[in-house]
């Protein structure tokens, strides 16, 4: 009987897929042991990493940050390939914001005093720290009775560790805010903020931070984000930074060791036919037949012994839907445990909107746009400015991608992010200009100071200062929600799911813990990607770790040298 060289096909040329391919190809003695192939449905490598340019600056349409440099494999690679420094300007090269240049404005053009913003900002941070199981310092505590209330809230609503409780992060935050209002001494009402009361301002600042948290987690509504699982999520210590030469440089480095032809673009998988728990060995032409057959949209097919699936959770959700045309079709279907995990976990949409200031709005080099935090009236409030489009109302910030850049950036999540994808450029330009012009008067923004002049609700439609309103010459937006290769941005643990579901996502098929005694073809389908890592989901380093995990699973199966990195 002739033995074939094991063939491994990796679906997806993103971080997880190329990490697995890199490991399998470079591992000691494995170069000549496997047939290796990476199939990518799109026309580029990188997946949800997509470095681009806009307005002459380097930007990231997808993954942006190295989340902590202490122990991060992404930071290590970036150092090794000298990607952390560049002569070309890049997004967030001077950090996420300059605290000295942060300006918080309430709808109507009212700049908020730090005495209103800072206590609520501190409150929100403490609540999120509490959700994530971080120990609060004495400086962070308002009073001990307040934190007893938080513990009682979590305990009474099933917010235990690990997830699957009934408590959401959103409801916990709101109950924490109510507890805060009940614990602080009565304060004087503020003056000079038009129809804003102190209570409405504080709620508005809190909602602003909630909207920022939505973009961090991709949960369109924090009421769907599980409280118990928050404490399992892990971040690396140290600062969060961007990559000067672009996130794509990491991807290109991983792919650079692979010989030409291993990565095949434009190969979109439509069907994965595997043998499930069928124990019968199939022999064709004197050789054992490969157990997995991949079908592609162009009608071609590839057989494999092992397939590593690195597609997004959004694509897997489409695969288990009733719509047969929605994406990859598994035959036989995925087992119930896998289907249930895919169904329960959350997968949200986060989009970025880059806008270049028109020349009429820009000023000289000694002036620059501030890091703007926006406090909106609620969408139902009669006091809201009805000219501001609904899809702008949960956008928390607008800021230059680095100091003095003419390119500004806003983040969108959930329904607003999807709406953004459906709008044409003119609609977005008009909506953004209307919104930001209602917040500030753009005569000057002086370097090192806050805004020179604010609307304060007194600028009417006949005021000539409107000739200085913010206008944008062009925009660029991401479209992760409607892209059929992704159908969203990144995963989160939704209420009703747990970290156990992330572990289930990582289990290979067929599920058999005793391969040596089983006649079934082992490890036919393996799963990698950020949604398969219990503690680092939603991150590029989580995707990296998952790719290593599955590569090492195969290397160990064939008794090759492979060190498992978790």
């Amino acid at each position: 009987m002739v033995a074939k060289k094991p063939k491994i096909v990796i679906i997806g040329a993103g971080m997880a897929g190329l990490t697995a391919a890199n490991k399998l190809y470079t591992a000691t003695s494995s170069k000549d042991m496997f047939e290796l192939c990476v199939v990518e449905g799109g026309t580029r490598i990188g997946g949800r990493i997509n470095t681009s340019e806009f307005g002459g600056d380097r930007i990231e349409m997808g993954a942006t940050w190295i989340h902590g440099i202490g122990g991060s494999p992404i930071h290590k690679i970036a150092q090794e390939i000298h990607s952390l420094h560049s002569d070309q300007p890049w997004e967030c090269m001077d950090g996420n914001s300059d605290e000295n240049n942060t300006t918080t404005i309430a709808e109507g053009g009212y700049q908020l005093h730090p005495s209103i913003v800072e206590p609520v900002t501190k409150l929100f941070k403490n609540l999120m720290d509490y959700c994530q199981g971080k120990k609060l310092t004495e400086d962070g505590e308002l009073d001990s009775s307040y934190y007893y209330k938080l513990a009682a809230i979590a305990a009474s609503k099933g917010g235990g560790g690990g997830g699957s409780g009934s408590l959401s992060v959103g409801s916990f935050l709101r109950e924490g805010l109510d507890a805060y209002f009940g614990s602080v001494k009565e304060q004087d009402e503020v003056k000079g903020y038009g129809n804003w009361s102190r209570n409405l301002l504080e709620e508005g600042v809190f909602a602003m931070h909630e909207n920022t948290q939505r973009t961090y987690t991709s949960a369109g509504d924090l009421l769907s984000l599980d409280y118990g699982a928050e404490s399992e999520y892990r971040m690396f210590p140290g600062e969060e930074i961007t990559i000067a030469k672009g996130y794509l440089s990491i991807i290109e480095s991983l792919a650079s060791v692979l010989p030409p032809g291993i990565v095949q673009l434009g190969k979109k998988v439509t069907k994965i036919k595997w043998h499930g728990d069928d124990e019968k060995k199939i022999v064709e032409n004197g050789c054992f037949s490969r157990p997995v057959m991949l079908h592609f949209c162009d009608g071609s097919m590839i057989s494999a012994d092992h397939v590593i699936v690195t597609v997004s959770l959004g694509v897997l959700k489409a695969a288990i839907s009733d719509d047969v045309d929605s994406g990859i079709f598994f035959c036989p279907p995925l087992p119930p445990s896998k289907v249930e995990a895919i169904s329960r976990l959350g997968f949200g949409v986060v989009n970025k909107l880059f806008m270049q200031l028109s020349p009429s709005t820009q000023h000289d080099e000694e002036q620059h746009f501030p890091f703007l935090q926006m406090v909106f009236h609620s969408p139902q409030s009669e006091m809201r400015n009805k000219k501001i489009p609904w899809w702008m109302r949960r956008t928390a910030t607008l800021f230059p991608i680095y100091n003095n850049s003419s390119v500004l950036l806003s983040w969108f999540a959930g329904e607003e992010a999807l709406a953004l994808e459906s709008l044409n450029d003119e609609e977005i330009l008009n909506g953004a200009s209307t919104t930001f012009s209602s917040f500030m008067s753009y005569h000057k923004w002086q370097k090192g100071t806050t805004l020179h002049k604010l609307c304060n609700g007194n600028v009417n439609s006949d005021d000539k200062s409107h000739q200085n309103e913010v206008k944008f010459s062009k925009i660029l937006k991401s479209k992760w929600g409607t892209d059929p290769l992704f159908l969203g941005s990144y995963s989160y643990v939704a209420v009703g799911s747990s970290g156990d579901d992330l572990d289930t996502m990582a289990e290979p098929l067929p599920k058999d813990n005793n391969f040596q005694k089983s006649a079934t073809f082992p490890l036919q389908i393996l799963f990698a990607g950020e949604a398969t890592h219990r503690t680092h989901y939603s991150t590029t380093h989580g995707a990296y770790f998952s790719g290593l995990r599955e590569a090492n699973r195969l290397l160990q199966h064939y008794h090759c040298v492979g060190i498992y990195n978790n």
Side-chain angles (χ1 to χ4, degrees):
M1 191 75 67
V2 180
K4 285 184 178 179
K5 186 185 295 186
K7 185 166 186 177
I8 302 170
V9 178
I10 299 170
I11 302 176
M15 179 65 81
L18 290 177
T19 299
N22 179 288
K23 181 66 177 179
L24 286 167
Y25 184 77
T26 60
T28 303
S29 77
S30 66
K31 279 188 177 68
D32 298 322
M33 184 168 184
F34 305 120
E35 282 186 53
L36 184 62
C37 178
V38 180
V39 292
E40 165 58 48
T43 57
R44 61 175 180 83
I45 63 173
R48 282 167 275 174
I49 293 172
N50 186 10
T51 302
S52 186
E53 286 195 10
F54 183 70
D57 295 331
R58 182 176 285 122
I59 60 168
E60 303 288 359
M61 299 297 289
T64 303
W65 296 93
I66 295 178
H67 293 291
I69 63 175
S72 166
I74 308 303
H75 182 250
K76 182 180 179 182
I77 295 172
Q79 282 183 313
E80 291 173 349
I81 63 175
H82 308 291
S83 283
L84 296 177
H85 303 284
S86 172
D87 293 332
Q88 179 187 354
W90 74 93
E91 182 183 346
C92 294
M93 58 190 284
D94 44 17
N96 195 24
S97 70
D98 179 354
E99 292 184 1
N100 295 324
N101 192 39
T102 298
T103 300
T104 305
I105 301 180
E107 187 174 339
Y110 302 98
Q111 183 173 353
L112 300 188
H113 193 272
S115 63
I116 296 174
V117 179
E118 290 174 0
V120 181
T121 299
K122 185 176 182 180
L123 165 71
F124 189 87
K125 180 181 183 303
N126 286 338
L127 288 169
M128 285 307 305
D129 285 348
Y130 195 94
C131 283
Q132 293 162 0
K134 298 175 184 175
K135 185 176 181 181
L136 299 172
T137 64
E138 299 227 348
D139 178 58
E141 295 191 15
L142 297 173
D143 61 54
S144 59
S145 64
Y146 170 67
Y147 284 98
Y148 284 127
K149 289 180 182 178
L150 298 188
I153 291 169
S156 67
K157 303 223 171 174
S164 294
S166 60
L167 181 61
S168 70
V169 169
S171 61
F172 176 80
L173 289 172
R174 281 290 154 167
E175 296 213 33
L177 178 62
D178 290 342
Y180 165 76
F181 283 143
S183 66
V184 297
K185 296 179 180 178
E186 188 173 333
Q187 296 175 311
D188 295 331
E189 275 301 315
V190 295
K191 295 181 180 180
Y193 292 99
N195 53 18
W196 286 96
S197 66
R198 176 182 287 276
N199 186 267
L200 285 176
L201 285 172
E202 290 179 329
E203 284 196 9
V205 172
F206 196 85
M208 176 186 74
H209 290 301
E210 287 178 312
N211 290 331
T212 298
Q213 193 66 30
R214 290 166 58 235
T215 65
Y216 290 165
T217 62
S218 90
D221 188 336
L222 295 182
L223 292 174
S224 68
L225 185 63
D226 188 79
Y227 171 89
E230 276 295 293
S231 60
E232 285 196 329
Y233 184 81
R234 293 289 179 267
M235 285 186 64
F236 290 116
E239 62 181 322
E240 297 187 74
I241 63 172
T242 52
I243 302 174
K245 292 183 180 176
Y247 235 115
L248 195 59
S249 64
I250 307 296
I251 290 292
E252 290 170 342
S253 174
L254 291 169
S256 65
V257 304
L258 303 175
I262 282 188
V263 178
Q264 301 179 24
L265 301 179
K267 299 287 288 183
K268 185 177 180 181
V269 177
T270 57
K271 182 179 180 180
I272 301 176
K273 189 175 186 336
W274 58 296
H275 275 274
D277 293 322
D278 182 3
E279 295 189 0
K280 185 175 68 172
K281 293 280 191 180
I282 300 175
V283 179
E284 294 178 358
N285 299 322
C287 297
F288 286 130
S289 174
R290 306 191 196 276
V292 186
M293 182 67 73
L294 300 180
H295 296 249
F296 297 91
C297 60
D298 61 4
S300 62
M301 295 181 288
I302 295 179
S303 62
D305 295 283
H306 312 283
V307 173
I308 303 178
V309 177
T310 74
V311 300
S312 75
L313 177 58
V315 171
L316 290 176
K317 282 181 176 290
I320 64 171
S321 71
D322 294 330
D323 183 359
V324 294
D325 297 322
S326 61
I328 297 174
F329 176 64
F330 287 87
C331 180
L334 295 174
S337 61
K338 187 80 74 173
V339 170
E340 289 162 8
I342 292 169
S343 299
R344 285 191 293 257
L345 287 167
F347 193 71
V349 182
V350 177
N351 279 318
K352 300 167 77 173
L353 173 63
F354 295 93
M355 299 164 281
Q356 185 163 42
L357 288 168
S358 65
S360 63
T361 309
Q362 298 177 46
H363 296 276
D364 60 50
E365 293 182 358
E366 291 302 310
Q367 301 167 338
H368 66 136
F369 200 96
F371 186 99
L372 176 63
Q373 296 186 140
M374 294 176 288
V375 176
F376 288 93
H377 283 298
S378 72
Q380 295 77 32
S381 172
E382 288 300 317
M383 295 182 286
R384 75 187 189 282
N385 181 344
K386 295 179 176 60
K387 292 182 179 180
I388 296 176
W390 70 270
W391 48 270
M392 287 293 309
R393 286 202 160 271
R394 293 209 289 176
T395 305
T397 55
L398 172 71
F399 54 92
I401 59 174
Y402 58 85
N403 285 338
N404 300 324
S405 175
S406 64
V407 176
L408 307 185
L409 170 62
S410 280
W411 292 72
F412 293 77
E415 292 181 1
E416 295 81 13
L418 282 174
L420 190 72
E421 298 189 30
S422 67
L423 298 171
N424 62 43
D425 286 5
E426 184 178 0
E427 290 173 309
I428 295 172
L429 285 166
N430 291 336
S433 182
T434 297
T435 301
F436 304 134
S437 295
S438 73
F439 272 74
M440 23 190 321
S441 172
Y442 297 86
H443 290 289
K444 290 183 181 179
W445 35 84
Q446 299 290 349
K447 186 175 182 181
T449 67
T450 55
L451 296 180
H452 179 69
K453 179 182 177 181
L454 297 173
C455 297
N456 288 326
N458 295 321
V459 177
N460 58 53
S461 58
D462 297 324
D463 196 316
K464 292 182 180 179
S465 67
H466 270 278
Q467 66 187 0
N468 292 319
E469 68 181 340
V470 166
K471 289 185 177 295
F472 304 100
S473 56
K474 62 180 180 178
I475 66 165
L476 180 64
K477 62 184 178 182
S478 57
K479 299 180 181 179
W480 297 109
T482 53
D483 189 321
L485 294 176
F486 306 102
L487 299 175
S489 301
Y490 36 93
S491 63
Y492 64 94
V493 180
V495 172
S497 62
S498 71
D500 291 343
D501 288 327
L502 293 164
D503 286 342
T504 299
M505 291 290 297
E507 292 175 353
L509 298 175
K511 187 178 179 182
D512 189 339
N513 295 322
N514 194 3
F515 291 136
Q516 275 71 31
K517 294 182 180 180
S518 172
T520 306
F521 286 105
L523 301 176
Q524 293 177 39
I525 305 179
L526 303 91
F527 295 85
E530 52 86 13
T532 70
H533 199 289
R534 182 161 187 151
T535 57
H536 291 294
Y537 56 89
S538 82
T539 66
T540 54
H541 58 261
Y544 178 90
F545 285 143
S546 73
L548 281 185
R549 180 192 66 221
E550 298 312 310
N552 278 294
R553 196 191 299 272
L554 288 172
L555 290 170
Q556 290 164 5
H557 175 67
Y558 286 103
H559 307 291
C560 297
V561 175
I563 301 173
Y564 175 58
N565 295 286
N566 188 18

